[in-house]
Amino acid sequence: MDLLTVGTFARPPDDLALRALQPTLGPDRALLGGGTWLFSVPQPHLAGIVDLTALGWEPLRADDEGLTIAATTTLATLADVDPAAHPAWPAVALFAGCCEALVGSRKVQHVATVGGNVCLGLPAGPMITLAAALDGVATVWGPDDGRWTAPVVDLVVGPQRTSLVPGEVLRSIHLPARALRGRTALRKASLSPLGRSAALLAGRLDDPADGSGFTLAVTASLPRPAVLRYAGLPDATTLAADVAALGDGEDGVGGGWYDDPHGSPDWRRAMTLLLAEEIRAALGEVAR
Ligand SMILES: Cc1cc2nc3c(=O)[nH]c(=O)nc-3n(C[C@H](O)[C@H](O)[C@H](O)COP(=O)(O)OP(=O)(O)OC[C@H]3O[C@@H](n4cnc5c(N)ncnc54)[C@H](O)[C@@H]3O)c2cc1C
């Protein structure tokens, strides 16, 4: 789609050039990842675009501490990480599943970026699910040359709302090795086989050497992501009560179960409970 109000286009070639631009970025300037959302809807408030794709950020960097994913990494690159190449990190198996949960063609996945998915902040953002389930920590570059970190699950504060302010750039997401050593399960519900996620849940059971903790990320059925954590696999009743509490009543995460054309709140609630129990059961089998 043509963005007729956009008059400037910058493509910083390196970090220095980006850092110099950042203080000038107001709400009328957008950062460009893959553009699969930015160019898909009218953006009448925009006067300029700053393209992040020429920065040459290393897409994936693995070391003893874990895996760092650059914000500009495409979903296709992430989906292609071969679990067999990382035998110590079973959770790598979650990458492809989460990428496929974004129901776009392979063409879309080849340009859509991890950073764009997180910063767009859609409830059905599967990179948010992935990061939430694997304790992902975002590194953000501020306009004043500073940087700060925050759990990705705290960065997304509502539907298409993050805690980022104009001028801030999501630089990367770090997945710690401890989380990557866990076993994972992913479940999705949508109104049609190729529909947008109405509930997208990812669970992780830590390696026994790391304490066998259980983590459940609940996304798409809530206005913002939520994470439940347990010292071990909870029983079905406990998990169901905790999952229900995320969306029920005023104490829920951001005001009830999410409501949009991709699913009614009641149905989303029922699916979320069902998928949570499926994940608990699947990871319980793994633990036997
Ligand atoms: C067919 C189709 C299906 C889709 N299905 C889904 C779906 O199921 N779930 C879903 O979540 N989305 C979906 N989308 C929307 C979108 O394609 C994805 O969210 C995609 O991952 C966005 O990434 P991008 O790199 O293209 O972002 P862009 O369009 O480039 O940017 C998205 C937003 O993030 C900001 N941004 C980008 N990078 C950064 C950064 N590093 N730091 C700060 N801000 C940044 C931009 O300024 C913009 O506001 C779909 C799109 C299509 C076309």
Side-chain angles (χ1 to χ4, degrees), residues 30-39 52 57 71 75 101-105 108 111-113 115-117 119-120 122 124-126 164 168-171 196-197:
L31 298 166
L32 173 65
T36 60
W37 174 79
L38 203 61
F39 294 138
L52 301 175
W57 290 342
L75 268 61
L102 187 147
V103 186
S105 61
V108 171
V111 283
T113 64
N117 190 257
C119 295
L120 185 54
L122 289 176
L164 297 179
E168 291 185 325
V169 177
L170 174 61
R171 170 62 182 86
R196 180 165 292 186
S197 305

Side-chain angles (χ1 to χ4, degrees), residues 28-70:
D28 62 342
R29 299 276 202 95
L31 298 166
L32 173 65
T36 60
W37 174 79
L38 203 61
F39 294 138
S40 72
V41 286
Q43 310 279 1
H45 64 291
L46 283 188
I49 282 178
V50 176
D51 183 356
L52 301 175
T53 57
L55 293 162
W57 290 342
E58 186 182 5
L60 302 165
R61 199 179 62 250
D63 59 26
D64 290 348
E65 303 296 311
L67 182 71
T68 302
I69 305 168

